[in-house]
Amino acid sequence: MMDRYTKLQMVGIYIGIFLFLSFMLLPFVEMFVTSLRPLEHLRTTPYQFWSDKFSFDAYRQMWETVPLLGRYILNSIFIASMVTACTMLLVVPAAYAYARLDFPFKDTSLGLILAINMFSGAVLLIPLYRVLKALGLLNTYWAMIVPGIAFLIPTGIWLLRSYLEKIPRELEEAAYVDGASRMYTLRRVVLPLALPGLLVVGTATFIGAYAQQFLFAITFNQNRELQPLPAGLQEFVGRQQVEWNQMMAAALTGVLPVMLIFFFLQKYLVAGLTAGAVKE
């Protein structure tokens, strides 16, 4: 009876996984199929998912339709990389302070930091615009980097703090006994042990920075050569028609760097997410 019940449980789990993956991956399948279909086929009524005229012409034509497409993709990678680097430089000492130090209003301030994420970027566009204008950062890369850092720091602190708390304090105390300073201990003892957690937070930050560029780009930047890919995709919208197949091809091409990063770091990400799950 138990074996039968266990088998039913496994069947239910696999069905749930299949439904979840279908829900997550079907939009990408639709994007890929759309990129392969000719534009006239996309206008047919009723809608047809399949076509007998599949081709990769859109992946060749998109570079001609939008000559700066390569620049837009590189801009997205550069902006996301800068946001990730600057965010991690600020998150690491902050998360360590919240994990190890005792100071007034520690829990309250941490809750307020996380509450920042409750505000949508659209709500803060006007004050952000005024601040960036006062600093002379409009129409520069920093106009898209600084807001990205501000919105990703809270989540990074929370994620890394919980991981640092799993590292035994005895290792740091042993370093203090040998005369090491707190900063030296952080660099030489804590951070090497926290590498899986750093990879998780860094990857999550990069993906978040890559995904949030559109709103900041269209609001704080009017320089076409500095636009990231999400804003550059608007150039596929013409006066007479929208090049949907080329737009989907460009979008998939732009997502490819993030997918490659996740693919190569998958083993370390899984290790980082599961490390410390069981407290010894």
Side-chain angles (χ1 to χ4, degrees), residues 103-239:
F103 50 88
F105 307 107
K106 175 180 175 180
D107 295 332
T108 303
S109 61
L110 189 60
L112 290 175
I113 290 175
L114 188 63
I116 296 175
N117 279 8
M118 297 174 61
F119 293 93
S120 171
V123 177
L124 301 176
L125 284 181
I126 294 177
L128 280 173
Y129 183 90
R130 294 175 64 89
V131 170
L132 294 173
K133 183 178 180 180
L135 296 175
L137 298 179
L138 292 178
N139 301 319
T140 66
Y141 282 120
W142 290 106
M144 295 166 281
I145 294 173
V146 172
I149 296 172
F151 280 97
L152 291 171
I153 282 178
T155 304
I157 292 177
W158 270 84
L159 290 175
L160 190 58
R161 167 183 173 265
S162 62
Y163 189 90
L164 292 178
E165 288 179 339
K166 303 267 191 268
I167 298 176
R169 291 176 179 265
E170 290 78 9
L171 297 175
E172 297 174 61
E173 293 172 355
Y176 297 150
V177 170
D178 292 337
S181 64
R182 186 175 293 276
M183 290 302 299
Y184 182 88
T185 304
L186 174 62
R187 294 196 311 270
R188 299 294 185 177
V189 178
V190 177
L191 292 185
L193 294 174
L195 184 59
L198 292 173
L199 284 173
V200 172
V201 177
T203 303
T205 301
F206 184 87
I207 294 174
Y210 208 89
Q212 68 178 8
Q213 295 172 356
F214 177 75
L215 188 62
F216 300 142
I218 64 174
T219 307
F220 306 135
N221 176 54
Q222 301 299 320
N223 189 336
R224 184 186 175 196
E225 294 186 352
L226 302 183
Q227 293 284 21
L229 179 63
L233 291 177
Q234 296 181 98
E235 296 189 18
F236 289 102
V237 181
R239 293 185 178 181

Side-chain angles (χ1 to χ4, degrees), residues 1-21:
M1 184 69 180
M2 288 298 296
D3 292 338
R4 183 179 179 183
Y5 179 73
T6 303
K7 290 181 179 178
L8 289 175
Q9 274 189 323
M10 294 302 298
V11 171
I13 291 173
Y14 282 118
I15 291 175
I17 293 174
F18 174 78
L19 293 175
F20 174 77
L21 291 177

